[in-house]
Amino acid sequence: MAIMVSWLCNFLVSLTFLDLCRVMTTSGAFALFASVGVVGTCAIQTSMPETMGMTLEQIELLTAINTVMYYGATIMEKAGFSESSAVWLSAGCNLAQALGVCYCVSQMDKVGRRDLALRSSKLVTIALVLLSTSFIADPPLPWLTMPLVMFYLLSFGSGLSGVPWAINSEVFPLAADANIALARALHVARTAPDILNNDEIQEALRKAIEMQEFK
């Protein structure tokens, strides 16, 4: 049940992002995600024991990580970059999360899971508030949005990206871990074709390739 709720949060965030941008503007959508970050930070700070791994999973997924990962190129376009530039910039920004994860792995046993999750949650909330603010400007400020997206991904990777996985692997029996790993692998296998078959992604990739060939 907990896994179903966790992935339902994942699905809802990914499904509703573009509609939220149309209804609330991009700034409003990021402000909404920032409010979830505030609630998540308070939950971790005040009432969440180390063993509530699935609560961490839900906070992780509701702070917009899949939105930024799946719609990174769209966010860059809304900020004012061209389609081809948006694709490559989105890919580059994702390296920031990898750096954050490396930090998380190196500090997890030194700093502690709770402190890493708290610090990451606070930084993610700040990043989302700043992203929301950056889209209020008219016209948008592309060279402000890009470092803020990188800051968000770095902040997320530094705690919320790795801590829930570590805690769940420690508090659940091995048989449950194996089932969770299988469920995640099946989810990735199912969603990958959907992402690759997305018309907007294919069109952006085609234009990016054409641009490189033209150069």
Side-chain angles (χ1 to χ4, degrees):
M1 182 63 182
I3 295 174
M4 289 179 61
V5 172
S6 177
W7 282 108
L8 178 61
C9 295
N10 181 355
F11 175 75
L12 288 175
V13 169
S14 302
L15 179 67
T16 59
F17 175 66
L18 295 180
D19 290 331
L20 285 173
C21 288
R22 283 190 287 268
V23 174
M24 303 174 61
T25 73
T26 305
S27 176
F30 280 116
L32 177 63
F33 295 137
S35 68
V36 175
V38 172
V39 173
T41 300
C42 294
I44 298 171
Q45 181 77 56
T46 61
S47 61
M48 196 199 74
E50 286 278 346
T51 54
M52 291 183 65
M54 294 317 298
T55 301
L56 265 178
E57 289 272 7
Q58 291 149 21
I59 293 171
E60 173 195 33
L61 294 173
L62 283 172
T63 48
I65 183 58
N66 288 298
T67 292
V68 177
M69 295 293 286
Y70 294 161
Y71 297 108
T74 301
I75 292 169
M76 292 299 175
E77 282 188 54
K78 288 180 178 293
F81 291 101
S82 66
E83 288 187 12
S84 58
S85 297
V87 172
W88 294 110
L89 288 172
S90 175
C93 286
N94 289 335
L95 292 176
Q97 184 179 352
L99 293 175
V101 171
C102 291
Y103 171 81
C104 180
V105 171
S106 67
Q107 298 297 311
M108 194 173 294
D109 291 327
K110 299 176 183 177
V111 178
R113 279 87 167 129
R114 178 183 172 83
D115 286 346
L116 274 179
L118 272 172
R119 185 187 306 165
S120 176
S121 183
K122 292 173 182 176
L123 291 173
V124 162
T125 301
I126 292 170
L128 287 170
V129 169
L130 292 175
L131 268 172
S132 173
T133 303
S134 74
F135 279 99
I136 294 176
D138 187 20
L141 306 172
W143 295 107
L144 176 60
T145 301
M146 186 186 71
L148 286 176
V149 169
M150 294 184 71
F151 174 53
Y152 166 81
L153 290 170
L154 183 65
S155 301
F156 183 88
S158 68
L160 286 179
S161 182
V163 170
W165 295 79
I167 289 180
N168 282 322
S169 68
E170 292 164 351
V171 300
F172 289 107
L174 289 177
D177 288 344
N179 289 333
I180 291 172
L182 178 60
R184 290 189 181 279
L186 291 174
H187 174 79
V188 171
R190 185 189 67 78
T191 56
D194 294 339
I195 296 172
L196 293 175
N197 288 329
N198 182 281
D199 291 339
E200 292 183 1
I201 292 177
Q202 287 188 348
E203 180 67 14
L205 287 173
R206 182 184 65 79
K207 289 184 177 181
I209 292 171
E210 288 179 352
M211 183 68 69
Q212 290 300 311
E213 290 177 347
F214 177 76
K215 291 180 180 180

